[in-house]
Amino acid sequence: MFADSFSFSYFFFDTYPGYALQMLPLALLAAVIYAVYKNRQIPRDSTPRIFLASLFVAYLTAVIGLTLFQSLIHDGYYFLFYHEWSGSSHYERQFVYNFIPIFFRNFTEERFFNVLLFLPFGFLYPQFRQRTTWPFTLAAGMLTSFAIEFIQPFVGRSFDVDDLILNTAGLLLGIAIYYPLHALAFRCRVRKSPSK
């Protein structure tokens, strides 16, 4: 029983790190396509800037895959590994909407994952959109989270206000980490630059 619970199959198909691992090939493909496109569009753009912007594209691809197409991707991998359909029936459109926050009553692993999901948005989006401000980053992240929640009932999942709140909490945490460090790094560069 102990060995079964820690098998690769369990890890890959039934844990959040496993779900993230499923998205890795798609995320990397999206990042490479974006990097090639950006390099052709702006040949003089520095390689580090393109790389950092590509990280955001990879991250966003993974988020969209995890929240909107995870069931489809899960079944694709299952068929690839076991040469049969998983037998899942999670494509029914139930149009379930939860507008009452209850996450504080039972803070599960899934709730924690919702916080972590949007934490990288706070420091990767400024790499994608240069010279953006923290209010714009916050607005972009919240809009992305809302768009995902709005679409989910159409792909067999539900609209949950808890997800919006926890996504925003993770987003704010990412912003709180990135922008002060960015400002500090900028001040250090200014101090080290030779005076005219």
Side-chain angles (χ1 to χ4, degrees):
M1 182 70 179
F2 182 81
D4 290 341
S5 63
F6 287 90
S7 66
F8 173 78
S9 179
Y10 169 77
F11 171 80
F12 194 72
F13 290 108
D14 292 300
T15 67
Y16 289 112
Y19 299 154
L21 190 60
Q22 291 178 22
M23 302 302 155
L24 190 59
L26 291 174
L28 290 176
L29 179 62
V32 168
I33 291 172
Y34 175 81
V36 170
Y37 164 76
K38 200 69 177 175
N39 191 52
R40 289 182 177 178
Q41 187 184 38
I42 313 174
R44 294 180 182 178
D45 205 357
S46 66
T47 301
R49 282 180 59 186
I50 293 176
F51 174 76
L52 291 172
S54 299
L55 280 181
F56 176 75
V57 173
Y59 158 75
L60 190 62
T61 301
V63 168
I64 292 171
L66 282 167
T67 54
L68 298 178
F69 304 106
Q70 197 275 323
S71 296
L72 184 64
I73 294 169
H74 170 279
D75 286 353
Y77 275 111
Y78 194 92
F79 184 79
L80 181 66
F81 289 163
Y82 302 110
H83 308 294
E84 61 182 11
W85 298 113
S86 66
S88 58
S89 57
H90 34 236
Y91 300 106
E92 298 176 4
R93 292 163 179 79
Q94 300 176 1
F95 296 103
V96 176
Y97 296 86
N98 174 28
F99 296 105
I100 301 173
I102 58 170
F103 66 91
F104 45 85
R105 295 180 189 170
N106 185 22
F107 200 84
T108 61
E109 182 184 5
E110 182 179 357
R111 304 298 189 197
F112 182 66
F113 174 74
N114 277 307
V115 174
L116 291 183
L117 187 64
F118 267 74
L119 191 149
F121 197 105
F123 50 83
L124 287 178
Y125 182 77
Q127 311 306 321
F128 178 76
R129 187 181 176 89
Q130 298 269 321
R131 292 182 291 276
T132 189
T133 61
W134 75 261
F136 197 90
T137 300
L138 177 62
M142 291 178 69
L143 183 62
T144 302
S145 177
F146 179 79
I148 288 170
E149 287 301 314
F150 179 80
I151 295 170
Q152 279 185 336
F154 296 91
V155 293
R157 301 189 68 179
S158 63
F159 179 99
D160 194 341
V161 72
D162 282 337
D163 292 352
L164 287 174
I165 294 170
L166 295 171
N167 288 166
T168 302
L171 174 63
L172 285 169
L173 184 58
I175 288 171
I177 292 170
Y178 172 77
Y179 279 94
L181 290 177
H182 178 71
L184 182 62
F186 178 76
R187 289 193 198 103
C188 290
R189 284 198 304 269
V190 170
R191 287 175 185 173
K192 289 181 181 179
S193 62
S195 57
K196 293 182 180 180

